[in-house]
Amino acid sequence: MNGPVLLVIAHGSRDPRHAATVQALVRRAGALRPGARVETAFLDFNLPSVTGVLDRLAADGVRDVVALPLLLTRAFHAKADIPAVLRQAPPSLRIRQAEVLGPSPLLISAVERRLYEAGLTPGDKSATGVVLASAGSTDPEAIAVIAETARELRRTGWCSVRPAFASASLPRTEDAVRALRTDPGVRRVAVAPYVIAPGRLPDRIAAGASEADVLADVLGPSPELAALLMERYDGAVRASSRMAAAV
């Protein structure tokens, strides 16, 4: 085994598409690092649980783990839920929590990939408004990151980009679609779900996109997202090595 075990921690969902998509993404990420041990766990609804995987790793004699939150922003789950469950790990495990996935240029590339797969082309950018539709959060830091991600997406050449949220925050997807219709130069409107896997909130985003011209897919097991998982893993390993060297 090369390096610490990578434990990818997803939220979980009653929708079976969620776990299947997460597993496909983690498999794709693991294929980028032959020889590394990569595990998946869920905070809720799905198995294996985080505590179950941590107990199994300890029983296998593993000592070092990088816990990677499968989250696009650093909101409540990354700040509270995941640290709390990691504190329940067997004492023999040394665990470092990696950074969440966003923000990252790779996420912008993944969003654009899904828009192109939905039928748009780079030549459509200058006349297309995009709704960047996320799950939503009550955390101001997370909302600010989504807003900045929308601005970064706009800088790649789209006519206009507006953030929207399926819960907790406003505007809703349908309201952002209607607002984009009034933006100068916008001749078509596309909705880009800024979510990793299918589920209740992504379905709400899709319902809110009924008046849009284009609806892209969730980010899912895109190559950009798989590469980003390993980028965050490597960053955590380097940080851990620097801390050890400083002691």
Side-chain angles (χ1 to χ4, degrees):
M1 182 181 66
N2 299 322
V5 169
L6 170 58
L7 174 59
V8 179
I9 302 177
H11 181 270
S13 170
R14 292 186 178 89
D15 189 322
R17 298 173 299 167
H18 176 91
T21 301
V22 168
Q23 296 284 8
L25 170 60
V26 174
R27 284 194 300 271
R28 188 162 199 168
L32 299 174
R33 197 64 52 86
R37 181 170 177 177
V38 182
E39 300 276 353
T40 308
F42 298 89
L43 285 173
D44 206 355
F45 302 117
N46 303 107
L47 293 174
S49 67
V50 178
T51 53
V53 173
L54 292 173
D55 288 345
R56 176 161 50 83
L57 291 175
D60 289 347
V62 170
R63 291 295 175 262
D64 293 298
V65 177
V66 169
L68 172 58
L70 196 64
L71 301 167
L72 298 177
T73 61
R74 190 173 176 272
F76 184 79
H77 294 307
K79 294 176 180 178
D81 287 348
I82 290 176
V85 75
L86 293 179
R87 285 194 291 269
Q88 302 173 30
S92 61
L93 293 176
R94 293 186 293 266
I95 303 175
R96 180 170 185 84
Q97 184 173 323
E99 295 294 328
V100 297
L101 300 181
S104 169
L106 285 169
L107 289 171
I108 300 295
S109 297
V111 168
E112 292 201 299
R113 171 186 291 276
R114 295 307 189 217
L115 286 167
Y116 297 149
E117 289 172 349
L120 295 172
T121 69
D124 295 323
K125 280 187 168 186
S126 62
T128 301
V130 178
V131 176
L132 187 71
S134 74
S137 174
T138 57
D139 189 299
E141 179 184 350
I143 298 301
V145 168
I146 297 299
E148 178 57 29
T149 301
R151 287 190 289 269
E152 288 296 325
L153 183 61
R154 169 68 181 82
R155 293 184 188 112
T156 68
W158 298 95
C159 182
S160 183
V161 179
R162 290 176 179 255
F165 307 94
S167 68
S169 308
L170 296 174
R172 294 288 182 257
T173 302
E174 54 269 32
D175 296 325
V177 168
R178 293 173 191 135
L180 274 177
R181 295 286 186 199
T182 68
D183 281 9
V186 171
R187 293 201 293 273
R188 70 178 62 79
V189 174
V191 173
Y194 193 61
V195 292
I196 294 172
R200 178 176 58 87
L201 294 180
D203 282 350
R204 190 177 295 174
I205 290 170
S210 61
E211 296 179 20
D213 302 297
V214 175
L215 171 62
D217 200 357
V218 298
L219 300 177
S222 64
E224 294 85 2
L225 210 55
L228 182 54
L229 262 62
M230 301 316 300
E231 184 177 291
R232 292 292 185 255
Y233 168 78
D234 290 341
V237 171
R238 287 194 299 269
S240 183
S241 297
R242 287 195 297 269
M243 290 178 60
V247 173

